[in-house]
Amino acid sequence: MSVSWIKPDWPAPPNVLSAVTTRYMDGVSVPPFETFNLGSRCGDSAAAVAANRAALVSTLDLPASPRWLRQVHGVDVIDADAMSLEDEPAADAAIAHGATVLAILSADCLPILFCADDGSGIAVAHAGWRGLAGGVIEATVARLGVPASRVLAWLGPAIGAASYEVGDEVRTAFVDVDPLAAQAFAPTRPGHWHCDLYALARQRLAAVGVARVYGGGFDTFSDTRFYSYRRERDTGRFASLIWIEHCAANAASGNVFAASTMLFPRLLGDRFTALPASVQVLHCTGGTRNYRGVVTVQRGRGWCSRLCGWATRLPPAARDVPLSVDIAATADSETWTRRFGAHTMRSNLSRNGAQLRERLGLVTFVFSLSVSAGVLRWTVCEVRALGLRLPARWFSGVRACESEREGRYWFDVRAALPIIGDLIHYEGWLAVPHE
């Protein structure tokens, strides 16, 4: 018997994908864990869990194996981008900004998926009553690193209020903090209450400013598609997963994520898919990333050249020096912080209609972008200094290109002005993982 996985119904950005497994997907676990148990600490055989986890990656065509957590009903949030696949840290929430698959295991507790509305970051939280009362939602939203007004949340399959009876101690843990939480509890018998985890989660999300909340309405106790600890103490765990689609993950097949909401894919449209994988990855992954490589810098020697270099914060001449680049990317901009050895140069890239704007020190450039033979070329079409528009023809010697050599992202930037002559020429590479 094969029951398809569940696709969360929420308006996540196109580059944010999510899924929830069911217990009856094609797996190898035997009763009482049949058939697609993904939990490694519930009594199932390690071999069966490993086989099911491998099948999960294949079935959902995941870009990587999920980062699993050792969930302890706490409030710790980890950065999964920094985890290795072998790690299973004790935590109940995780964030990511790169090509990392996040997962929460549950069997009645509430899994919550989060994403930034520009697709630059994702998060998951395991929210049983202890985690909710302790503040796992608040901790996760804070760690995601974007304003709460820009966060979307989806409430996954959990035990429903009609099936979830708790004692006075659970109600007290919420009501003592927020009297409005009493609305999530209905009396059953003396000292006992039906508890609505979904209502409690919505209250906590609203309190931190997350207004766009979707999902809910499940009941794992009565819905046999899901494992339920209250229904069957010896049982497995299903997974709620979320990941950011890696733009170049399927570059070889041409199935590049053309609907990406990031800056360069939006500017280039279909031309973006003609770029090498490393260039695509550099420009379609949200959040803040660091890349390292090597650069050689040549500088003009005249006094006018040096003055212009000072105005635009250009690096000094050097050969084969270490280069570190931090890129903070959203759907609307990329901020590059380049460290040429000890020298830092920062610029901001943004959209200017169908063109690219770069603000560098006291000067703002507007470039047209073109793609030819796998090379992305920048051509100056407008320049402003201190707000004054300068003749574009003066800057015909300013150009840049991005390409790939031997699997590395490669850049070549040149700037020369009439009369003044050469300002700068720097070229080199960055290591940009894209496998």
Side-chain angles (χ1 to χ4, degrees):
M1 178 180 182
S2 177
V3 177
S4 71
W5 52 273
I6 295 169
K7 181 179 180 180
D9 183 13
W10 62 325
N15 66 322
V16 173
L17 304 184
S18 53
V20 177
T21 67
T22 65
R23 67 183 300 177
Y24 295 124
M25 291 172 66
D26 289 333
V28 299
S29 294
V30 299
F33 307 103
E34 77 278 14
T35 56
F36 205 71
N37 168 49
L38 297 167
S40 62
R41 296 179 177 83
C42 55
D44 197 1
S45 76
V49 174
N52 292 340
R53 289 184 174 185
L56 172 69
V57 175
S58 175
T59 299
L60 297 184
D61 194 23
L62 298 177
S65 297
R67 268 39 174 195
W68 303 103
L69 306 177
R70 181 161 57 87
Q71 298 162 195
V72 293
H73 299 278
V75 299
D76 287 345
V77 185
I78 60 100
D79 183 348
D81 288 334
M83 287 174 57
S84 72
L85 288 175
E86 293 73 30
D87 292 339
E88 285 197 23
D92 284 85
I95 63 163
H97 295 91
T100 300
V101 181
L102 303 182
I104 286 295
L105 295 170
S106 57
D108 285 336
C109 289
L110 172 60
I112 308 178
L113 308 181
F114 301 85
C115 70
D117 60 9
D118 64 356
S120 62
I122 55 174
V124 292
H126 169 238
W129 77 262
R130 289 182 179 85
L132 280 173
V136 71
I137 283 177
E138 294 86 341
T140 305
V141 173
R143 189 73 185 276
L144 185 55
V146 299
S149 61
R150 289 183 43 214
V151 175
L152 285 70
W154 185 78
L155 309 180
I159 191 167
S163 303
Y164 190 32
E165 187 181 63
V166 299
D168 280 334
E169 73 282 1
V170 176
R171 183 176 183 274
T172 299
F174 289 95
V175 176
D176 281 359
V177 175
D178 181 4
L180 291 178
Q183 300 172 3
F185 295 87
T188 55
R189 52 195 171 94
H192 292 79
W193 311 79
H194 278 151
C195 173
D196 190 339
L197 290 176
Y198 290 120
L200 292 170
R202 290 179 185 276
Q203 287 177 349
R204 292 293 181 113
L205 287 164
V208 296
V210 177
R212 289 179 283 179
V213 182
Y214 307 90
F218 296 93
D219 183 1
T220 50
F221 183 87
S222 61
D223 190 338
T224 57
R225 291 178 299 173
F226 306 109
Y227 296 104
S228 170
Y229 183 76
R230 284 244 171 168
R231 186 180 64 232
E232 303 163 300
R233 290 302 177 100
D234 292 326
T235 192
R237 301 293 186 269
F238 64 90
S240 299
L241 307 113
I242 187 170
W243 64 98
I244 297 175
E245 179 72 11
H246 210 287
C247 291
N250 299 309
S253 65
N255 186 25
V256 181
F257 195 67
S260 173
T261 60
M262 306 307 288
L263 177 63
F264 276 74
R266 291 168 63 194
L267 286 171
L268 292 169
D270 292 342
R271 294 174 296 167
F272 189 76
T273 65
L275 292 172
S278 62
V279 181
Q280 290 189 42
V281 170
L282 191 88
H283 289 302
C284 74
T285 307
T288 300
R289 299 100 62 210
N290 174 261
Y291 302 113
R292 296 179 182 274
V294 172
V295 63
T296 291
V297 182
Q298 301 176 50
R299 287 285 302 273
R301 297 182 180 181
W303 69 268
C304 284
S305 174
R306 293 196 297 271
L307 178 61
C308 292
W310 170 84
T312 51
R313 309 292 194 269
L314 298 180
R319 184 172 183 81
D320 294 334
V321 295
L323 174 66
S324 174
V325 180
D326 290 329
I327 302 177
T330 71
D332 301 312
S333 69
E334 290 184 2
T335 298
W336 288 52
T337 303
R338 309 165 181 86
R339 296 179 180 85
F340 300 79
H343 179 88
T344 298
M345 183 176 74
R346 181 177 291 106
S347 68
N348 178 264
L349 309 178
S350 60
R351 190 170 183 172
N352 187 70
Q355 298 167 325
L356 178 70
R357 178 193 296 115
E358 180 177 29
R359 184 174 180 179
L360 182 64
L362 303 176
V363 181
T364 298
F365 296 91
V366 175
F367 296 92
S368 63
L369 301 178
S370 63
V371 178
S372 176
V375 179
L376 174 59
R377 303 182 188 278
W378 303 26
T379 303
V380 173
C381 54
E382 183 180 327
V383 181
R384 292 181 181 271
L386 296 174
L388 299 176
R389 186 165 182 168
L390 304 177
R393 66 179 182 275
W394 291 0
F395 299 91
S396 60
V398 176
R399 60 187 186 275
C401 66
E402 303 174 61
S403 60
E404 183 175 284
R405 299 184 189 178
E406 299 178 349
R408 292 169 169 169
Y409 168 85
W410 192 270
F411 55 90
D412 189 333
V413 179
R414 299 170 183 263
L417 297 177
I419 301 176
I420 294 174
D422 291 338
L423 295 181
I424 191 170
H425 174 207
Y426 65 89
E427 64 177 328
W429 57 267
L430 294 171
V432 178
H434 55 85
E435 295 298 330

